[in-house]
Amino acid sequence: MEKTAIEDRVFNPSEEVVSNANISQAVYDEAAADRLAWWGKQADELVTFFKPYEKVLDDSNPPFFRWFTGGTTNVSYNCLDRHYNSAKRNKAALCYESEIGRKVILTYRELYIEVNKFANVLKGLGVQKGDRVCLYMPMIPECAIAMLGCTRIGAIHSIVFGGFSADSLADRINDAEAKIVITADGNFRKGNPFPLKNNADVALESTSCVEKVIIVKNAGNDINVVEGRDVWYHDLMATADKYCKPEEMEADAPLFILYTSGSTGKPKGVQHTTAGYLVQTQATLKYVFDLKEDDTFWCTADIGWITGHSYVVYAPLALGMTTFMYDGTVDYPDKDRMWDMAERWGISVFYTAPTAIRTFMKWGNEYPRKHDLSNIRLLGTVGEPINPEAWMWYYENIGGSKCPIMDTWWQTETGGFMITPTPMVPLKPGTATIPFPGIEVDVVDENKQSTERGYLVVKSPWPGMLMTIWGDDDRYIDQYWKRFGDYYFAGDGAKRDDMGYIWVTGRVDDVLNVSGHRLGTAEIESALVECAEVAESAVIGRKHDVKGEAPVAFVILKDGFEASPELIDKLKKHVGVKIGPIARPDDIIFTGGLPKTRSGKIMRRLLRDIAEGRAIGDVTTLADPGAMAEIATKYSGKEE
Ligand code: WT7
């Protein structure tokens, strides 16, 4: 195991942090003694059930686990009604700032009314319990309102990140058979309106299930309004009733679908449930980020990702906290934008991604130094392994060398944190440390035996877990439960150190992590082979200073086509249009052959070696070793 001096450092929490923390050793001990009883206790404390559950976990039909069976509840009720009926009614629930400086603060009472009205709007458009509603929206308050409005009537939302292309949006609308699409005219990016509605219009040309499109007026850019199909949000809200009775939902009723990349070309619709999700997201936020009544929590993730679902909207609101959201770029009008807002809004707990931290680090510490960040008491990171240098920079420059950093390992599929420190855990830069109470993980070898370095698995079901893949139970089983039987396989590699801490080393499947976003190599490859010039392609992730990994594509051209800078541009652009700008390859390398095993599997490890300029690895299992030399020569020519 490689170790640097930094990785060996242990940062013990201060006595003050430990004594004020929501967590204590007793919590860990209680969960270890009887984890199901402990999860039951969390549910009793954190969720208001309409009908009490009968069983904490029904594991009679693995891997289709059901949590809190027999119980009924409603997510919007838990996020709103119970605060509306308490002293919190006039507390800020959601604070928002747009890139151009528009500010909105919605109290619990105000948010409650907006959500009730919007739930009635959806009902008025014929949306029923179980129907799918697709959100393609900026990070605006209406996005949270729409999510909560869906949950109020038991409709299943599917949020598609605004950075995804029209094609990606169309695929997701069709897979979920969404009846309604909610979008906005546009939003601001570096001062210019980004035409979200135009993209949605293109997507809607290749869908037939959508009956209505609801448009929020946000950026004020001109849009096309399709008569009979498109309706303005504000027009609908103007006449909506102020109360909508929350639907009584079964504990394991689907709450939302969120698409994520897998190892095939088709994204998976990860399906989450109601009560278990509410329990795990709240328990983790309470114990890991240690939220208190007077905190203002800023999770910088876009709502289009699971982090935004769980920790911008659902968990903070269910706990009755104040959540902050920003819609815009991090360097507009200048590189201190984030710290300017952190100071102005008095942010006390700040959660972001390593790729953002590396960007801030590159810009230099003069930007955070311009601002008083002394309100910040706790930091967090998620999305990929954080390199110790970035951890240290974050610790010193944003946390003033006094704030613990919660490095949280989890996935779209897990719903909430799985491996993470809490404020009482001694920290080492670069590791997510230990499992959250009630979570059982291990590092195993091919034969499912515990080992020091191997595959990361979850050994027993957890409340926030996905229920299945939308419309594809077989894929759910295949993807997560085939390789290690009754252990959930996360797709990550990991090692364990002498303190028992788990170091996640990254994906071991054909999935890239670009700026904390998951992309399947197969998705990018199938976009490339759609181009008339391309016969075959292989995509790998190359290490990148800021993005963590950047896609690089090896491409074999069809006979009669020539490599050229124009073609490189065209192919890159096509991937951007097909999937979204984050998927655009940094490099396209033309080659006459691809290294494959005798069984025909592309040897991505070798391609990575070439792309990262390392000596070429073992080629003894190659079907055509010559292919490799050819690629290597081409690429080294390119580097010069
Ligand atoms: C994959 C999940 C969970 C929200 C963001 C991404 C990687 C995530 C960490 C971390 C090391 C991490 C893993 C995981 N990952 N957090 N703290 N340390 N790796 O969600 O798109 O579902 O991606 O992100 O590889 O499998 P996602």
Side-chain angles (χ1 to χ4, degrees), residues 260 306-307 381-385 407-413 490 492 504 507 513 516 518:
T260 187
I306 189 70
T307 315
T381 156
V382 63
E384 59 178 305
D407 178 350
T408 59
W409 178 87
W410 58 299
Q411 306 180 299
T412 304
E413 291 86 342
D492 280 330
V504 177
R507 304 290 305 191
N513 189 327
R518 246 159 96 172

Side-chain angles (χ1 to χ4, degrees), residues 269-529:
V270 172
Q271 185 180 322
H272 277 287
T273 68
T274 301
Y277 177 81
L278 263 180
V279 172
Q280 189 167 343
T281 52
Q282 287 185 82
T284 47
L285 190 61
K286 170 181 162 187
Y287 287 127
V288 177
F289 282 122
D290 199 41
L291 286 200
K292 309 279 200 284
E293 212 39 76
D294 56 357
D295 274 312
T296 297
F297 179 54
W298 184 8
C299 163
T300 68
D302 192 283
I303 291 185
W305 309 113
I306 189 70
T307 315
H309 285 60
S310 300
Y311 299 105
V312 175
V313 179
Y314 289 124
L317 296 178
L319 286 173
M321 300 297 164
T322 301
T323 184
F324 174 71
M325 59 199 254
Y326 167 59
D327 188 41
T329 30
V330 295
D331 56 349
Y332 187 86
D334 204 351
K335 296 187 175 66
D336 67 337
R337 177 61 186 261
M338 302 299 270
W339 320 125
D340 177 39
M341 288 189 291
E343 175 177 2
R344 281 191 286 104
W345 289 93
I347 300 300
S348 54
V349 179
F350 181 77
Y351 185 33
T352 195
T355 183
I357 298 167
R358 289 191 296 265
T359 304
F360 302 141
M361 186 166 92
K362 229 169 104 178
W363 290 339
N365 59 9
E366 64 263 37
Y367 296 102
R369 225 183 266 160
K370 281 188 193 165
H371 298 279
D372 176 6
L373 301 179
S374 57
N375 252 321
I376 298 182
R377 64 175 185 88
L378 206 80
L379 297 170
T381 156
V382 63
E384 59 178 305
I386 184 165
N387 46 312
E389 296 72 17
W391 194 101
M392 286 305 304
W393 187 88
Y394 195 34
Y395 185 75
E396 286 167 359
N397 294 287
I398 309 304
S401 300
K402 65 171 176 31
C403 305
I405 299 178
M406 303 296 113
D407 178 350
T408 59
W409 178 87
W410 58 299
Q411 306 180 299
T412 304
E413 291 86 342
T414 71
F417 309 157
M418 300 294 279
I419 305 175
T420 173
T422 57
M424 61 174 285
V425 172
L427 304 173
K428 287 187 187 183
T431 166
T433 71
I434 58 174
F436 185 74
I439 299 292
E440 297 179 312
V441 303
D442 202 356
V443 180
V444 298
D445 63 17
E446 292 288 350
N447 303 315
K448 217 179 142 188
Q449 300 302 308
S450 260
T451 176
E452 294 296 286
R453 191 181 193 117
Y455 303 103
L456 184 60
V457 292
V458 185
K459 288 164 66 178
S460 51
W462 63 99
M465 68 191 300
L466 74 166
M467 188 183 195
T468 187
I469 290 175
W470 178 256
D472 201 346
D473 287 349
D474 291 341
R475 193 170 176 199
Y476 167 65
I477 297 170
D478 267 15
Q479 188 80 44
Y480 306 108
W481 305 95
K482 263 274 152 70
R483 191 144 175 191
F484 298 108
D486 57 346
Y487 288 0
Y488 167 90
F489 177 45
D492 280 330
K495 56 189 182 178
R496 206 187 334 240
D497 72 10
D498 47 10
M499 277 169 73
Y501 282 10
I502 290 168
W503 297 70
V504 177
T505 48
R507 304 290 305 191
V508 293
D509 50 6
D510 294 332
V511 170
L512 308 184
N513 189 327
V514 180
S515 300
H517 303 318
R518 246 159 96 172
L519 290 167
T521 51
E523 273 173 272
I524 307 178
E525 287 159 8
S526 61
L528 285 166
V529 295

Side-chain angles (χ1 to χ4, degrees), residues 32-201:
D34 186 343
R35 73 178 205 103
L36 291 183
W38 186 78
W39 280 119
K41 188 173 163 191
Q42 304 315 303
D44 298 342
E45 278 175 17
L46 299 168
V47 175
T48 306
F49 285 91
F50 299 150
K51 199 165 102 208
Y53 60 89
E54 285 152 19
K55 223 173 162 184
V56 172
L57 171 66
D58 173 355
D59 55 3
S60 59
N61 182 28
F64 299 92
F65 299 99
R66 300 172 64 201
W67 285 82
F68 308 109
T69 46
T72 62
T73 184
N74 179 285
V75 170
S76 101
Y77 182 91
N78 276 272
C79 291
L80 299 168
D81 303 44
R82 51 183 186 165
H83 310 312
Y84 176 84
N85 293 319
S86 81
K88 289 190 184 180
R89 66 173 66 86
N90 289 317
K91 174 177 177 171
L94 197 154
C95 301
Y96 158 82
E97 185 167 316
S98 78
E99 197 184 74
I100 56 168
R102 188 169 82 90
K103 297 178 191 68
V104 176
I105 297 174
L106 291 175
T107 63
Y108 274 97
R109 186 183 168 80
E110 290 167 328
L111 185 59
Y112 169 89
I113 293 168
E114 294 305 299
V115 169
N116 273 273
K117 279 165 58 182
F118 192 69
N120 283 325
V121 162
L122 290 173
K123 271 189 164 174
L125 295 177
V127 180
Q128 292 176 356
K129 186 172 172 174
D131 284 347
R132 275 79 58 208
V133 174
C134 176
L135 276 60
Y136 185 61
M137 297 181 80
M139 286 278 287
I140 51 181
E142 289 83 352
C143 182
I145 293 167
M147 293 164 79
L148 290 159
C150 287
T151 71
R152 197 156 188 92
I153 62 168
I156 303 168
H157 61 68
S158 161
I159 308 187
V160 179
F161 172 55
F164 275 123
S165 67
D167 274 4
S168 299
L169 175 60
D171 289 348
R172 286 156 173 80
I173 292 173
N174 288 330
D175 188 75
E177 293 169 282
K179 205 165 166 177
I180 304 277
V181 169
I182 310 172
T183 187
D185 49 0
N187 60 331
F188 287 95
R189 283 292 173 271
K190 290 198 193 286
N192 301 310
F194 174 81
L196 214 51
K197 172 65 166 58
N198 286 0
N199 270 2
D201 283 338

